[in-house]
Amino acid sequence: MTDELPQNGPIPDDHHVLRYTAPRHVDGGIVNGAGFLRRPTEDGFSVNWLEYFDHPIENQVQGGRDVARLRYAKTGLLARLNIGATRNYVRQNSPERLELSFVHDLLIAEGDFPADPSHALIKGIPTADSLEAELIKDLIADCIV
């Protein structure tokens, strides 16, 4: 990671985040929107900030996997989103002109889990129990790189 990256604040629009998507949210090798629903108890939607780690992309993905606090299933997928493109697409295509924010949210070491310096949150996603979430989840899925 370079020193000029922001700490626990907004992530630049030209950066990317990575989200693990469980097999139940993958149809024919394509991530469906259900993998982007936020539970009512969550403050934001957990992702990993790729540019926290040095290039190339393979190193960035491995960096996120190394600090993951979940198990990856063989048939699950990693979905990559460009922050600016996702924010713009959701804003332009949602009836309420929803404004998402991508915020660095460092996780400290806890129990058996190492610290996760690349952890980030997507804030502004409606909760899974709302009608608006049905549209937003699909708009986000449309943005997968």
Side-chain angles (χ1 to χ4, degrees):
M1 185 199 120
T2 59
D3 292 331
E4 65 268 4
L5 294 178
Q7 295 294 303
N8 289 326
I11 301 173
D13 276 356
D14 62 335
H15 286 208
H16 301 81
V17 294
L18 198 66
R19 169 75 178 178
Y20 170 73
T21 307
R24 69 182 176 277
H25 303 305
V26 177
D27 297 324
I30 297 172
V31 175
N32 66 45
F36 296 100
L37 287 172
R38 181 175 68 87
R39 291 181 221 125
T41 57
E42 297 173 324
D43 181 37
F45 194 76
S46 284
V47 292
N48 287 92
W49 176 15
L50 284 179
E51 280 80 5
Y52 187 88
F53 302 105
D54 293 328
H55 287 281
I57 185 72
E58 294 82 10
N59 182 64
Q60 293 171 326
V61 170
Q62 189 59 49
R65 290 178 66 109
D66 290 345
V67 295
R69 296 186 177 196
L70 49 88
R71 292 182 191 200
Y72 292 140
K74 288 182 182 182
T75 55
L77 294 177
L78 293 170
R80 182 169 58 135
L81 299 170
N82 173 273
I83 292 171
T86 302
R87 291 180 69 229
N88 289 333
Y89 186 77
V90 169
R91 184 183 327 104
Q92 292 170 0
N93 292 285
S94 63
E96 302 297 322
R97 313 233 354 122
L98 184 67
E99 187 65 48
L100 299 179
S101 60
F102 291 70
V103 182
H104 184 219
D105 182 56
L106 171 104
L107 295 178
I108 61 171
E110 186 177 0
D112 292 337
F113 297 114
D116 182 353
S118 69
H119 184 261
L121 294 172
I122 304 175
K123 295 192 171 208
I125 295 175
T127 59
D129 58 354
S130 70
L131 290 176
E132 188 180 23
E134 289 299 312
L135 170 64
I136 302 306
K137 69 179 179 61
D138 291 333
L139 292 176
I140 294 171
D142 287 345
C143 296
I144 295 173
V145 177

